[in-house]
Amino acid sequence: MEAINGSEPDRPMQTLTIPLKKDREFAIMRGHPWVYREALRALPPDAATGDEAIVLSHRQIELGRGYLDIDSPIVIRMVEGERDENLATRVEKRLTAAHALRRSLFDPAQTDAWRLINGEGDGIPGLVIDIYGNAAAVQIYSLGLEPLIGVIARTLPRLMPDLRWIWRRNHVKRASGPAAGLVMGRDMPEKIRFRENGLKFQTDLQSGQKTGFFLDQRDNRALIRQVARGQRVANVCGYTGAFSVAALAGGARNVVTVDSAKPALAEAVDNLKLNGFDPSKNPVVTADMYDYLQDPRNGPFDLLIVDPPSMARNRADLERASRAYVKLNTLAFGRVAPGGLLFTASCTSQFSREAFVEAVTEASRKAGRRARIIRESFHATDHPISLAHPEGRYLKGLLLEVA
């Protein structure tokens, strides 16, 4: 194993007992995995990020265990497990259980890219692991996970003996070590190839967004494949062209892929070629999403896909996000042919499904178009959500028939 700075296996941690204030423990008792600083009765003066916390109610009843991140507003993230299990054991068991679930979901001959750990939804807050063939992409969202990188790096090859590389990316600005690097393996290729529902893709784990590919949209890509036959399709905010490939595999007449990022579109061209589709007949266009949809020369389309990036970073941005969704979808309605289909999505976690539907409804009114919902969609099946953690319900999709 090659380790990078900050990935040394299991540095010694102390285990601290931390009580909560009265009336600030109910969310944890209901299974919510986040403990905010203001809920603590007191934080021991020697507490350090990465320490193990046994969380107690104000009556000294043990509520569970988690790891400390003393510089974060979420000072403790709870890790699922049995009462007497330490964090390393809990993480190993959660990885094993998550792997067993994913093995039951996919035929590896058709799909060998999937999310192994979906943070709170799989009982390990702050951790996301995506598998692409024989490579694993690990995302770290809390420095408190650093002491557990070793057990993660040892457990993954045990579960997946063909695994050759573990690439880790740190999303915490306060991290002192490198932002990304190999935790296991050497000489990882620039492009990792994988399969999704029999289609071929490649991704750049080292330079791509997040873990390199938006696996949460897998089921929605299958939906687009189902409805694309004979259609003129535009894929706006198309990134590396996954929706475009799915549409063409479903028999679309042609597809145009639109994104503002030239490197992503270069990968979209590669993904088209991997599946035998001619980029000269299915062009990629570098353009801002608003500019493209405002131009009356573009369209009309029989099937329009609009999958923008997140529109809000926090709740303070919600009003701005609502205006953005209304504007974007108003323009989108204007580019759909009568009787055509619009698939529109939101990955903004702070923006509720109800708010999204309301914004799209307002957009249809402003565009003077009638629309009906054909399908509502969510995350793919390998992105579980804890019932006790509603914040995990971020992806929302609507397939609409537009009159």
Side-chain angles (χ1 to χ4, degrees), residues 197 199 224-226 228-229 243-252 255 275 277:
N197 292 323
L199 301 175
I224 293 300
R225 187 174 182 176
Q226 178 184 342
R229 181 168 300 280
F243 272 113
S244 302
V245 171
L248 289 166
V255 179
N275 292 278
F277 302 123

Side-chain angles (χ1 to χ4, degrees), residues 139 184 193 301 329 344:
Q139 294 184 76
M184 186 193 84
R193 292 192 176 185
F301 299 101
N329 284 283
T344 181

Side-chain angles (χ1 to χ4, degrees), residues 110 193-202 213 245 270-276:
Q110 294 294 311
R193 292 192 176 185
F194 58 94
R195 297 180 299 276
E196 178 183 279
N197 292 323
L199 301 175
K200 301 173 184 176
F201 296 97
Q202 63 182 22
F213 193 82
V245 171
D270 291 341
N271 284 327
L272 290 170
K273 291 178 178 178
L274 276 177
N275 292 278

Side-chain angles (χ1 to χ4, degrees), residues 63-348:
L63 302 179
R65 295 194 184 207
Y67 59 84
L68 277 166
D69 189 344
I70 63 171
D71 295 313
S72 170
I74 305 172
V75 72
I76 304 173
R77 289 171 169 85
M78 308 293 283
V79 179
E80 288 185 23
E82 299 300 321
R83 181 184 179 91
D84 294 326
E85 293 174 344
N86 63 23
L87 288 186
T89 299
R90 291 176 182 223
V91 167
E92 183 176 5
K93 285 190 172 183
R94 293 308 309 151
L95 287 169
T96 301
H99 181 255
L101 173 61
R102 274 55 172 194
R103 287 189 63 185
S104 73
L105 294 176
F106 303 110
D107 174 1
Q110 294 294 311
T111 298
D112 64 355
W114 32 271
R115 176 152 293 183
L116 173 63
I117 292 293
N118 192 45
E120 288 81 356
D122 281 296
I124 312 178
L127 178 66
V128 170
I129 302 177
D130 286 343
I131 304 300
Y132 295 96
N134 52 11
V138 177
Q139 294 184 76
I140 302 296
Y141 289 93
S142 170
L143 292 181
L145 279 170
E146 290 289 331
L148 297 164
I149 296 298
V151 70
I152 294 168
R154 290 193 299 273
T155 303
L156 293 183
R158 176 179 65 78
L159 297 173
M160 295 166 285
D162 294 333
L163 196 66
R164 294 184 60 187
W165 301 284
I166 300 176
W167 178 263
R168 168 267 191 88
R169 184 178 299 279
N170 197 326
H171 290 270
V172 185
K173 293 181 179 179
R174 294 177 285 109
S176 58
L182 278 172
V183 176
M184 186 193 84
R186 62 179 70 235
D187 301 325
M188 186 174 72
E190 180 181 352
K191 308 292 185 184
I192 299 292
R193 292 192 176 185
F194 58 94
R195 297 180 299 276
E196 178 183 279
N197 292 323
L199 301 175
K200 301 173 184 176
F201 296 97
Q202 63 182 22
T203 190
D204 182 352
L205 297 185
Q206 301 178 51
S207 303
Q209 294 186 37
K210 296 189 176 181
T211 62
F213 193 82
F214 297 124
L215 295 173
D216 52 3
Q217 291 279 23
R218 182 191 305 103
D219 294 352
N220 292 328
R221 286 189 284 269
L223 174 62
I224 293 300
R225 187 174 182 176
Q226 178 184 342
V227 301
R229 181 168 300 280
Q231 308 283 52
R232 298 165 297 173
V233 181
N235 178 17
V236 178
C237 307
Y239 191 44
T240 59
F243 272 113
S244 302
V245 171
L248 289 166
R253 188 187 312 177
N254 53 62
V255 179
V256 57
T257 305
V258 182
D259 203 279
S260 60
K262 288 184 178 180
L265 289 177
E267 291 219 21
V269 170
D270 291 341
N271 284 327
L272 290 170
K273 291 178 178 178
L274 276 177
N275 292 278
F277 302 123
D278 187 350
S280 67
K281 297 179 181 179
N282 302 282
V284 300
V285 176
T286 305
D288 172 80
M289 59 186 179
Y290 297 114
D291 292 343
Y292 184 84
L293 292 172
Q294 282 175 331
D295 191 335
R297 294 171 296 179
N298 299 322
F301 299 101
D302 305 308
L303 171 58
L304 177 58
I305 302 155
V306 181
D307 181 24
S310 178
M311 298 288 198
R313 293 186 176 181
N314 51 56
R315 292 192 177 276
D317 295 335
L318 287 182
E319 185 176 344
R320 180 181 60 81
S322 180
R323 292 194 301 267
Y325 281 119
V326 171
K327 177 181 177 180
L328 180 62
N329 284 283
T330 300
L331 295 172
F333 276 117
R335 300 273 73 83
V336 180
L341 298 175
L342 170 63
F343 177 78
T344 181
S346 165
C347 64
T348 304

